[in-house]
Amino acid sequence: MPDFAITGAILAGGRSSRMGRDKAFLPFPAPDGPPLIAHQAALLRSLGITDLIISGRLDTDYATTLPNARVVHDTVPDAGPLAGLIAILAAASHPWVLILAVDLPQLTPTYLQKMISTGGGRIGVVPYGPHGYEPLAGLYPRTLLPRLQAALDAGHFRLQKLLHESTQEALIKALPLEPAEIDLFSNWNTPADAGI
């Protein structure tokens, strides 16, 4: 359990265009498990996190699946995950926010606890692997909000550059992925990925 207050958040506002349906409500495990978004919420709650935010679609009912979660929406459409991160950080009740994309079902409590322990309430943590930063599973400080908002206002939506700059200024620590951890970041983009 973390020894500092953390808000948990699930990024679920993407269009899921390659999947052909909303990823958040795909069964996990397939074919008849609970909705993927419920799995991610349970993962966060297993760490003792009780304050939960969903960055979701405007036209979607999340309350039936997760009645105790708050829902936020992007203020700028089509700005990618950056807009979702901003909405989450702006709404968070605590100085630290553990963010998970809804389509990363292989993440484990052990790995998330590793991120929390690495940050220790002192610095944000984002995994770093063969493809660069993995920004859709990270421990973010709310103090990063003005930097993210400035990038959005300027039309700079790429998170890789923002995170690199944030590590240079010791706001974020890059956590190198060990070989056995790389598969934890396999995401669901197509029906084949989800086994449907």
Side-chain angles (χ1 to χ4, degrees):
M1 300 294 177
D3 57 4
F4 54 97
I6 299 176
T7 292
I10 302 170
L11 282 165
R15 288 190 238 169
S16 300
S17 53
R18 283 184 284 169
M19 186 66 71
R21 57 192 273 205
D22 192 340
K23 297 178 190 179
F25 298 99
L26 293 171
F28 183 78
D32 50 13
L36 188 52
I37 196 167
H39 170 77
Q40 296 298 70
L43 184 58
L44 291 167
R45 288 178 175 145
S46 75
L47 299 169
I49 294 171
T50 56
D51 182 42
L52 184 62
I53 297 173
I54 300 167
S55 169
R57 298 179 180 198
L58 283 169
D59 58 351
T60 302
D61 170 27
Y62 299 96
T64 302
T65 305
L66 296 174
N68 297 319
R70 292 180 287 139
V71 180
V72 297
H73 305 289
D74 297 357
T75 55
V76 176
D78 301 320
L82 175 61
L85 286 174
I86 289 170
I88 288 166
L89 292 179
S93 302
H94 301 302
W96 300 94
V97 185
L98 184 60
I99 292 178
L100 302 182
V102 75
D103 63 351
L104 291 174
Q106 304 305 324
L107 286 167
T108 65
T110 300
Y111 187 79
L112 298 181
Q113 186 59 58
K114 179 179 178 178
M115 283 199 295
I116 291 168
S117 298
T118 299
R122 299 176 305 276
I123 191 169
V125 178
V126 176
Y128 188 89
H131 306 293
Y133 294 96
E134 296 284 355
L136 306 188
L139 179 67
Y140 287 86
R142 287 195 74 220
T143 53
L144 206 60
L145 184 56
R147 174 185 293 268
L148 298 181
Q149 186 65 56
L152 183 68
D153 293 344
H156 301 148
F157 301 155
R158 295 208 50 215
L159 288 170
Q160 295 293 323
K161 181 175 184 291
L162 281 166
L163 289 171
H164 176 70
E165 292 169 353
S166 298
T167 60
Q168 298 298 106
E169 296 179 28
L171 300 169
I172 294 285
K173 177 180 175 60
L175 181 61
L177 289 177
E178 297 175 11
E181 296 169 339
I182 292 171
D183 284 348
L184 298 177
F185 291 85
S186 298
N187 64 329
W188 283 6
N189 286 315
T190 67
D193 295 335
I196 56 174

